[in-house]
Amino acid sequence: MSELTKLTLTDALDGLGKGEFSSVELTQAFVDTIEASNDALNAYVVKTPDQALAMAKESDARRAAGNAGRLDGAPLGVKDLYCTKGVRTTACSNILGEFTPTYESTVTQNLWDEGAVMLGKLNMDEFAMGSSNETSRFGPPSNPWRRGGSNATLTAGGSSGGSATAVASDLCLAATASDTGGSIRQPAAFTGTVGIKPTYGRASRYGMVAFASSLDQAGPIAKTVSDAALLTEIMCSHDAKDSTSLNVETPNWLADVGKGVKGMKIGVPKEYRVDGMPQEIEDLWQTGIKWLKSMGAEIVDVSLPHTKYALPAYYIVAPAEASSNLARYDGMRYGARVDGNDLTGTYEGTRAGGFGAEVQRRLMIGTYVLSSGYYDAYYLRAQKVRTRILQDFETVFADVDALLTPTCPSAAFAYGEKTDDPVQMYLNDIFTVTANLAGLPGISVPAGVDNDGLPLGLQVIGKALDEATCFQVAGALEEAAGFVAKPDKWW
Amino acid sequence: MSERPTYTLKGDTGDWEIVLGLEVHAQVSSNAKLFSGASTTFGAEPNQNVSLVDAAMPGMLPVINKFCVEQAVRTGLGLNAQINKVSRFDRKNYFYPDLPQGYQISQFEHPIVGEGVIEVDVEPSHGDPAYAFPVRIERLHLEQDAGKSIHDMDPTATYVDLNRSGVALMEIVSKPDIRTPLEAAAYVKKLKAIVVALGTCDGDMEKGNLRADVNVSVCKPGAYEKFRETGDFGHLGTRCEIKNMNSFRFIQAAIEFEAQRQIEIIEGGGTVDQETRLYDPDKGETRSMRSKEDAHDYRYFPDPDLLPLEIDDAFIEGIRVNLPELPDQKRARFESEYGLSRYDAGVLTADAESADFYETVAKGRDPKLAANWVSQELFGYLNKAELDLSQTPVSAVQLGGLIDLIRDEVISGKIAKDVFQRMIDGEGDPADIVEKHGLKQVTDTGAIEAIIDEVIAANPEQAAAVKEKPKSMGWFVGQVMKASSGKANPQAVNKILREKLGL
């Protein structure tokens, strides 16, 4: 039965459709695997086996009645950032206490409307702030991948570390994640999975705990490009409840995956070659270029001159928005509260006690950059940089169909390796934040392993609303890479 | 219209003038809040009109209420102001338990309505005649109201009611064009009349649906003119802002107190601190709420949950063509249609209720006589009794009936005042009162002649004297009216007296 958990989402749906197994059987397999493995992996922070099996039962009934949805019976994990009705949602922060929403996020509702089954809530960095999942109130998940010959526990990346861990270790068919500066793509790269951040506004933010409103975007982490395409298609929708949601049709991306790259022009931005980047990453990038060429794409060297300002701009804009977005966690209406002697004391106790160190650091940075006298020098300037970065992309996209870059400047690192130096940690986002700042789609595909046998990812950045090309290129890379490596089961 | 008088305050070191600028908060008349679908019904149980968005639950997002945008545009058009086709919402960040989001969504840099101007009418006061003056509007922007903190329900706890949280407000900011306490009140009255006529705010000041913050500063004569020439605020004194006043009387009293306070500080060798103050109506004074140093750093920045608000010409024109008659237009119409003076027309169009009342009374009757009865007699009485027009004991139909009795010579103007007093006392319709008390005018010349004969016979000396001094005939008129209990037709009395006395 445990073999069922190794299926891809599309294969599992195929099997369900053909009646090879029921959703209850499939779901039970996951429930059992989670029960056996989660203590070691710490991917789930809330497990909902009863709800999962009830949903699976309903799914089987629907399928029997011929009313199956596009994800009917597929057990999925949900990042703890998504509000789920009746299921504790804390964004892995102490400040939300035992908060249990009375409402469902639009993205997860879209999944349930297509018949998907919820296995539970997945670990993440507190309020999605982090690149290693170490800021979670529940402790970090463990990357199923380890360096050859080492027992050191590695990070699964962040902030969607729980989603990446769960997918890579077969604790769900696929998972929702979210990406503010790379939080889908970096964990995907660190775990040999596929992750896509769609165009800003493709998926509704309604019911997603906000980190940085102008950057946050929902997306999936999945085992294959096809799985990712299918899930993205269903997660995305226009939503009147989110003013920044785009009123556009969601295309059939699954159909794009196998179309190939023949005749495409793929840009390779020189600014993504950074000092101190391991040779293996550079080599993988060149390999990716070679694959695309051999499949009929034309490779063009391009320049995105403002790339070097992206990370500093990101670490101004994101904390600024967060400092305001997280002001609602004041202990007054929900979540944890620490009573003080007076109102100020209550605020201080609640927020100092409820927020972890990294969140506090970002709230302070954000408050600072928005302060009177500093606003122009920091926030306004960062917004100008953001415009320039978008213009850079628009310029090169006049010539090329998509861009190919490494997803991250390194493979997964061990816990503690970068925690002491926040700047080292922030540098992890260097190749991913640009797509968030410009609102563009970016997908990470596993393309090889490093000398330690750890997975590495390549990133495809597309034009706004052109996820189709991202899926096409990613599909081609997936095919060329033939990435089938799986972590040795140690848990 | 008369010239605008100069308002000066006497200090120990000479004359002072005051400069006032107002920020008026008007609650938008709308069934739903600015960014959520929650109801805005007044008087609901605490925390009943609260959506997930208003309570700032995790992951909740604001969505602009189009009707509130229409209301703001409508108001902007009523203020003769520029409508900005692109405006933006910003977050004003501060912590308070009745502010669930931890920020207020407002429009800081790019308001929906830009500069405009309105004409303000000032009533006669302290011997000064009525006059009108223009007030330039700087801007109007949309913003969310906060909830309500209730501190007096429990000795140790504060309760919060979020029913108001997220309700749409229009903040209307004037330029410093207002120079007297009376002008400030008149300005707020005019704004109120405009928004009520437009239906964009109910103007209910008691409920706090219209409230004013007043910026007060004092300066020496001549300084204000220099400011107007140069635009340099350096010519003006340091201002204090008096917050949240919801009565015309308080606005005037607070300004008078505050100006005097500032003059005393300056003349005592001190300097006025720029600060926010509250008016205490019980003590009749303002007190410091927070100084500039304590002022929050609101960390304004564009709300990333909302796109810039874009409206097009068709949207604006659609609102413009459906604008109702505004107070100024109505006043002009009253002047031309009814032949009223500007002042009378202004008084009668100060609010829609007065104007409607007048038009009911005036319909088919002498408009000037109707204006006198409405503005002099009825409004005079209501003012003295401190009643609103809505509480009038005399309906427009009844007052019209009274005027008909005068027109038909059933009663004289003098008797009419007596009848009016009885109407105020609740005796009912004028015709019934006249009937019941036998107040009908005596027009039967025979009866009048008989009275006159009696009076002349009783006063032979005066009858002889009046021939030398015809002007003293008035005495005889008085005697005859008295003898007829005021019911004799005055014209008939005059005519017959003249004949009988041989004048």
Side-chain angles (χ1 to χ4, degrees):
Chain A
M1 196 64 91
S2 73
E3 288 304 304
L4 286 181
T5 63
K6 294 189 164 44
L7 292 171
T8 65
L9 172 63
T10 40
D11 286 347
L13 288 167
D14 200 38
L16 286 165
K18 288 178 181 155
E20 290 168 9
F21 45 85
S22 68
S23 176
V24 168
E25 287 171 310
L26 180 63
T27 302
Q28 189 65 54
F30 278 109
V31 166
D32 294 344
T33 311
I34 292 166
E35 206 46 51
S37 308
N38 198 57
D39 284 352
L41 295 170
N42 200 26
Y44 285 90
V45 297
V46 177
K47 292 177 278 186
T48 55
D50 295 343
Q51 185 173 338
L53 289 164
M55 289 171 95
K57 209 171 155 189
E58 287 170 21
S59 167
D60 287 334
R62 273 194 303 272
R63 200 174 282 283
N67 297 326
R70 299 173 68 201
L71 291 175
D72 229 302
L76 305 177
V78 174
K79 187 176 181 178
D80 200 28
L81 190 87
Y82 292 87
C83 288
T84 41
K85 191 174 178 176
V87 177
R88 190 187 68 190
T89 301
T90 65
C92 291
S93 176
N94 277 317
I95 206 155
L96 273 155
E98 294 300 308
F99 177 69
T100 304
T102 57
Y103 49 92
E104 188 76 28
S105 82
T106 298
V107 163
T108 47
Q109 188 61 52
N110 287 347
L111 301 177
W112 317 142
D113 287 348
E114 289 292 342
V117 168
M118 180 168 83
L119 291 167
K121 305 298 288 288
L122 293 165
N123 210 339
M124 58 183 279
D125 277 300
E126 182 181 7
F127 285 109
M129 296 182 196
S131 305
S132 65
N133 214 140
E134 285 166 280
T135 69
S136 165
R137 98 187 225 200
F138 303 104
S142 301
N143 193 330
W145 293 84
R146 287 180 170 179
R147 291 174 185 138
S150 162
N151 284 333
T153 304
L154 304 183
T155 176
S159 66
S160 311
S163 303
T165 299
V167 174
S169 50
D170 298 324
L171 301 188
C172 57
L173 287 174
T176 69
S178 70
D179 192 315
T180 306
S183 282
I184 289 175
R185 291 159 288 160
Q186 182 250 27
F190 281 9
T191 55
T193 54
V194 178
I196 175 166
K197 178 200 91 73
T199 306
Y200 180 80
R202 270 283 192 197
S204 170
R205 293 183 296 113
Y206 177 85
M208 282 171 77
V209 175
F211 163 13
S213 309
S214 74
L215 301 162
D216 294 346
Q217 190 57 205
I221 289 180
K223 294 180 182 180
T224 66
V225 176
S226 290
D227 287 2
L230 174 63
L231 211 47
T232 310
E233 216 175 295
I234 289 160
M235 290 169 74
C236 293
S237 64
H238 172 60
D239 184 4
K241 289 184 281 189
D242 173 2
S243 309
T244 62
S245 158
L246 296 170
N247 193 358
V248 291
E249 286 292 309
T250 307
N252 178 0
W253 287 315
L254 186 54
D256 292 313
V257 175
K259 285 183 179 168
V261 293
K262 200 170 168 95
M264 273 193 192
K265 274 170 100 172
I266 306 293
V268 175
K270 66 176 184 204
E271 288 79 8
Y272 282 59
R273 195 161 281 123
V274 296
D275 288 344
M277 188 166 84
Q279 187 58 40
E280 301 154 280
I281 305 262
E282 172 66 33
D283 292 347
L284 182 77
W285 196 4
Q286 292 308 323
T287 307
I289 289 168
K290 215 170 60 199
W291 287 335
L292 293 177
K293 256 189 197 163
S294 72
M295 288 186 283
E298 183 189 343
I299 302 295
V300 187
D301 285 325
V302 297
S303 173
L304 299 164
H306 295 91
T307 301
K308 60 173 177 280
Y309 303 114
L311 203 61
Y314 173 82
Y315 276 98
I316 288 168
V317 174
E321 292 182 8
S323 73
S324 177
N325 281 339
L326 271 59
R328 65 187 56 199
Y329 307 111
D330 58 2
M332 296 295 152
R333 299 169 310 287
Y334 48 78
R337 163 151 149 191
V338 178
D339 279 311
N341 290 329
D342 55 12
L343 180 60
T344 306
T346 300
Y347 280 144
E348 287 176 355
T350 298
R351 290 171 66 83
F355 291 133
E358 180 60 26
V359 171
Q360 290 189 27
R361 177 182 297 119
R362 296 199 198 191
L363 295 186
M364 283 188 279
I365 291 171
T367 303
Y368 179 82
V369 299
L370 288 176
S371 298
S372 149
Y374 298 97
Y375 179 86
D376 289 1
Y378 291 100
Y379 186 77
L380 207 58
R381 213 175 168 80
Q383 290 293 14
K384 285 178 185 163
V385 168
R386 205 172 165 177
T387 306
R388 291 298 176 87
I389 286 168
L390 178 60
Q391 286 167 350
D392 279 359
F393 278 114
E394 284 171 346
T395 305
V396 303
F397 279 133
D399 274 335
V400 302
D401 299 300
L403 298 169
L404 181 72
T405 79
T407 308
C408 300
S410 75
F413 46 89
Y415 284 120
E417 274 179 4
K418 299 190 189 217
T419 331
D420 297 343
D421 183 352
V423 175
Q424 273 305 308
M425 190 69 90
Y426 297 167
L427 281 170
N428 234 276
D429 302 334
I430 193 156
F431 299 145
T432 47
V433 292
T434 50
N436 298 84
L437 288 170
L440 304 176
I443 185 168
S444 177
V445 199
V449 293
D450 71 358
N451 292 337
D452 291 321
L454 295 178
L456 297 172
L458 284 175
Q459 174 179 235
V460 181
I461 301 174
K463 296 174 188 172
L465 295 176
D466 190 17
E467 287 82 358
T469 299
C470 292
F471 286 120
Q472 266 180 269
V473 179
L477 290 169
E478 182 181 51
E479 195 190 326
F483 186 89
V484 289
K486 282 277 172 187
D488 294 331
K489 192 166 185 298
W490 52 263
W491 61 92
Chain B
M1 278 271 126
S2 305
E3 289 255 318
R4 191 174 177 187
T6 309
Y7 181 86
T8 49
L9 294 165
K10 306 280 176 215
D12 295 340
T13 60
D15 286 352
W16 292 88
E17 293 179 5
I18 60 180
V19 180
L20 306 165
L22 273 72
E23 292 164 21
V24 171
H25 287 90
Q27 180 179 324
V28 176
S29 292
S30 160
N31 294 330
K33 295 182 179 182
L34 183 54
F35 294 110
S36 80
S39 164
T40 57
T41 327
F42 182 81
E45 287 292 302
N47 295 310
Q48 289 310 295
N49 295 343
V50 186
S51 73
L52 295 169
V53 175
D54 305 323
M57 301 305 281
M60 289 300 106
L61 299 169
V63 176
I64 187 81
N65 177 342
K66 188 178 171 190
F67 182 68
C68 292
V69 175
E70 279 178 32
Q71 291 287 56
V73 170
R74 195 169 285 125
T75 308
L77 294 172
L79 300 176
N80 310 301
Q82 175 179 336
I83 307 301
N84 293 325
K85 285 191 260 181
V86 180
S87 62
R88 199 179 70 192
F89 288 99
D90 301 287
R91 292 185 183 175
K92 179 180 181 179
N93 295 282
Y94 66 95
F95 284 97
Y96 207 67
D98 61 20
L99 187 75
Q101 293 168 136
Y103 53 83
Q104 176 197 33
I105 305 178
S106 181
Q107 296 189 302
F108 181 56
E109 250 186 280
H110 302 286
I112 183 161
V113 175
E115 294 188 350
V117 63
I118 62 169
E119 190 80 2
V120 174
D121 298 281
V122 184
E123 300 166 25
S125 167
H126 299 104
D128 287 327
Y131 64 96
F133 73 103
V135 173
R136 293 169 302 158
I137 303 296
E138 186 163 306
R139 58 185 282 166
L140 173 153
H141 68 253
L142 279 168
E143 63 184 27
Q144 296 176 301
D145 204 350
K148 200 166 93 185
S149 292
I150 304 152
H151 302 288
D152 54 7
M153 269 173 68
D154 185 289
T156 56
T158 291
Y159 288 85
V160 176
D161 177 5
L162 296 180
N163 282 352
R164 283 190 87 102
S165 168
V167 164
L169 301 177
M170 297 180 284
E171 181 173 326
I172 304 165
V173 183
S174 83
K175 302 242 188 197
D177 289 2
I178 299 160
R179 306 298 311 281
T180 79
L182 195 62
E183 285 184 2
Y187 166 72
V188 178
K189 272 182 199 162
K190 188 55 174 275
L191 276 188
K192 179 179 160 176
I194 292 171
V195 293
V196 170
L198 290 167
T200 56
C201 168
D202 68 11
D204 192 331
M205 297 178 77
E206 259 176 56
K207 285 182 191 159
N209 294 353
L210 188 87
R211 49 194 198 257
D213 302 341
V214 185
N215 285 287
V216 183
S217 69
V218 296
C219 63
K220 286 288 187 182
Y224 181 76
E225 287 69 23
K226 279 188 196 141
F227 157 72
R228 287 299 290 263
E229 275 165 35
T230 60
D232 179 1
F233 280 87
H235 293 293
L236 302 181
T238 304
R239 66 192 159 84
C240 290
E241 184 180 23
I242 315 169
K243 280 279 191 201
N244 251 335
M245 283 176 290
N246 65 348
S247 108
F248 300 124
R249 209 153 45 85
F250 293 167
I251 289 171
Q252 294 184 64
I255 294 168
E256 281 164 17
F257 175 88
E258 178 59 21
Q260 208 57 53
R261 187 189 72 89
Q262 293 184 12
I263 291 168
E264 279 165 26
I265 289 174
I266 299 167
E267 292 193 330
T271 51
V272 174
D273 290 328
Q274 187 179 333
E275 60 183 0
T276 304
R277 299 179 70 82
L278 279 180
Y279 178 66
D280 181 341
D282 296 331
K283 293 186 180 150
E285 60 185 36
T286 65
R287 61 184 156 77
S288 182
M289 193 173 142
R290 55 173 183 262
S291 71
K292 197 183 177 189
E293 288 74 41
D294 302 334
H296 290 107
D297 181 349
Y298 290 119
R299 294 174 282 122
Y300 284 99
F301 77 110
D303 192 325
D305 286 333
L306 292 161
L307 301 171
L309 179 59
E310 293 181 28
I311 52 179
D312 57 20
D313 288 324
F315 181 82
I316 298 168
E317 287 314 307
I319 294 168
R320 195 194 300 276
V321 297
N322 289 314
L323 284 181
E325 186 179 37
L326 286 163
D328 281 351
Q329 294 165 334
K330 193 167 269 187
R331 189 196 57 216
R333 180 168 65 80
F334 276 30
E335 287 178 64
S336 62
E337 193 176 321
Y338 299 122
L340 303 181
S341 71
R342 184 189 158 111
Y343 175 71
D344 282 343
V347 169
L348 291 171
T349 55
D351 56 75
E353 217 186 347
S354 300
D356 290 347
F357 191 96
Y358 169 73
E359 293 207 271
T360 306
V361 175
K363 192 166 184 193
R365 304 191 175 98
D366 176 353
K368 287 189 187 168
L369 189 57
N372 274 337
W373 276 97
V374 173
S375 67
Q376 304 293 328
E377 303 301 330
L378 180 63
F379 288 2
Y381 159 74
L382 293 174
N383 268 338
K384 224 186 286 168
E386 297 189 357
L387 292 175
D388 279 343
L389 182 53
S390 62
Q391 300 162 294
T392 178
V394 179
S395 74
V397 172
Q398 287 176 328
L399 191 55
L402 182 63
I403 293 169
D404 288 344
L405 292 177
I406 301 167
R407 181 195 59 199
D408 297 343
E409 300 192 344
V410 175
I411 53 172
S412 67
K414 192 157 179 295
I415 290 289
K417 293 198 180 179
D418 178 32
V419 175
F420 180 70
Q421 183 57 48
R422 290 176 187 277
M423 289 161 77
I424 286 170
D425 295 340
E427 289 193 30
D429 288 338
D432 297 343
I433 294 170
V434 168
E435 195 61 44
K436 184 177 159 200
H437 296 279
L439 298 173
K440 224 173 204 170
Q441 186 160 252
V442 179
T443 45
D444 171 5
T445 47
I448 294 172
E449 266 182 59
I451 297 169
I452 289 175
D453 288 344
E454 260 176 51
V455 170
I456 293 175
N459 300 284
E461 282 168 35
Q462 278 88 341
V466 79
K467 292 199 166 72
E468 306 299 318
K469 226 170 126 206
K471 278 189 179 166
S472 61
M473 190 185 91
W475 181 84
F476 274 98
V477 174
Q479 292 302 309
V480 174
M481 292 306 287
K482 199 172 160 190
S484 73
S485 310
K487 289 185 285 182
N489 179 315
Q491 282 84 30
V493 171
N494 267 292
K495 185 164 170 276
I496 299 169
L497 258 180
R498 230 175 268 277
E499 288 166 10
K500 298 258 177 192
L501 292 170
L503 295 172

